[in-house]
Amino acid sequence: MAIDLEEDIRIDYLRDVWLEERQVRLGMLRLDLVHPLVSGNKWFKLKENIQAARASGRRSLLSFGGAYSNHLHALAAAAAAYGLHAIGVVRGLPGDTLSPTLEDCRSMGMELQFVSREIYRRKEDPEYLASLQQHYPEAWLVPEGGNNEAGMSGAGAIASRIPADTGMVCLPVGTGATFSGIRAKLDRHIPMTGFTAMKGGGYLEPGIAGVLPDGQDNWRLETSFHFGGFARYDDVLLRFINGFYERHNIQLDFVYTGKMMYGIYELIRTGIIQAGTHLVCIHTGGLQGNRGLPPGLLPAMQ
Ligand SMILES: *Cc1c(COP(=O)(O)O)cnc(C)c1O
């Protein structure tokens, strides 16, 4: 079963009186709809990794993530679809019960390797990676979040889905691979804003600038909508996600897309995003991660 994900991608324009009053046209590129398991931006970051793995005769994909990792989830599904074995190096000890995410990963055939936080921290250390490679000689190693050259290059394909008359593009940012991949390919006249999902996200700026071609400088990171840090949340965010679903029938996740959409509405409310803007935001998927919330917190969506 090869994956043809990219057919269903569309842009939904939000019908919203509040937006109309402020004369903002807000479209959402629905990467969340492309596949139930390999949803969102993760597929784009994986596809060239899969090609490279196959081209070099590797039989498995190995990567890293936490208990609710969208990346490991997508990688397990994509590997299964392409007949590759998958190995997930997971931060933390197995515990008595696996998270629903890791349950899915395992049932899709992923081999789970639990490592301590100390070892997990070495996920980019060349010596550690060499020892993993030695242990799994058949494996193609993919960094956490799919953040490598193949990942960024694959994400670049998303740029072709942005209409030429778009006045601004917004998307959530974790490692920055999706953001840089799109920025590298998108018409440089269209400004891009990335909403960082973690506290102090400005540290990503030099890394993003460093991988972009000369002249691709029409972008900024919006670092103030982190809600306390990565995968942190509060009532305000949850109320927003519930309300958004009630109004638009579109689910958001609490780690990435919920924070971005909240931020976009704030930037419109405060006039930073101005009347007349044609904005396209990217729904990067990741809805499976909402299973990391205690039950009952997103009643509208359940
Ligand atoms: C992983 C993820 C991101 C972040 O992508 P990066 O390329 O790491 O910046 C954004 N949104 C969702 C839903 C994700 O799962």
Side-chain angles (χ1 to χ4, degrees), residues 18-248:
W18 189 89
L19 290 173
E20 272 166 34
E21 283 167 5
R22 281 156 190 81
Q23 295 169 46
V24 172
R25 195 159 160 240
L26 177 50
M28 186 180 263
L29 180 67
R30 300 290 306 277
L31 302 187
D32 58 314
L33 296 178
V34 294
H35 187 282
L37 297 174
V38 197
S39 97
N41 62 333
K42 296 301 185 283
W43 160 247
F44 289 89
K45 292 194 285 183
L46 284 170
K47 63 181 187 175
E48 292 189 13
N49 275 293
I50 291 172
Q51 282 162 13
R54 281 152 57 105
S56 61
R58 309 295 172 95
R59 299 225 187 93
S60 53
L61 298 178
L62 180 150
S63 197
F64 307 85
Y68 291 93
S69 167
N70 291 329
H71 167 64
L72 284 187
H73 197 265
L75 184 137
Y82 282 91
L84 295 165
H85 181 58
I87 303 144
V89 177
V90 180
R91 178 184 48 225
L93 298 171
D96 293 333
T97 51
L98 287 180
S99 66
T101 305
L102 294 179
E103 286 280 7
D104 284 358
C105 288
R106 186 172 272 175
S107 73
M108 292 186 277
M110 179 179 261
E111 174 185 338
L112 300 177
Q113 276 286 348
F114 291 92
V115 299
S116 67
R117 285 176 183 270
E118 289 66 43
I119 294 181
Y120 192 84
R121 232 173 267 137
R122 297 178 63 201
K123 63 190 185 297
E124 285 160 20
D125 170 1
E127 224 173 278
Y128 175 58
L129 295 177
S131 75
L132 276 174
Q133 188 72 79
Q134 205 170 12
H135 194 75
Y136 296 104
E138 298 280 337
W140 176 262
L141 270 52
V142 180
E144 185 183 50
N147 182 20
N148 59 5
E149 237 176 82
M152 182 181 148
S153 165
I158 299 168
S160 68
R161 305 292 172 148
I162 311 279
D165 66 346
T166 301
M168 178 181 189
V169 170
C170 292
L171 68 147
V173 169
T175 63
T178 307
F179 186 86
S180 346
I182 298 172
R183 181 67 282 175
K185 299 276 168 64
L186 189 68
D187 179 344
R188 54 183 297 279
H189 299 104
I190 304 179
M192 280 179 66
T193 298
F195 290 76
T196 52
M198 72 297 286
K199 206 175 194 160
Y203 74 88
L204 290 168
E205 270 166 16
I208 293 173
V211 295
L212 290 175
D214 283 348
Q216 277 290 16
D217 51 10
N218 195 3
W219 59 274
R220 56 183 287 271
L221 295 183
E222 181 58 66
T223 59
S224 43
F225 300 104
H226 56 71
F227 289 87
F230 189 73
R232 303 288 178 98
Y233 58 91
D234 64 11
D235 286 350
V236 173
L237 178 65
L238 297 178
R239 216 176 303 127
F240 175 81
I241 292 173
N242 269 307
F244 189 83
Y245 181 71
E246 278 168 357
R247 290 196 306 282
H248 300 294

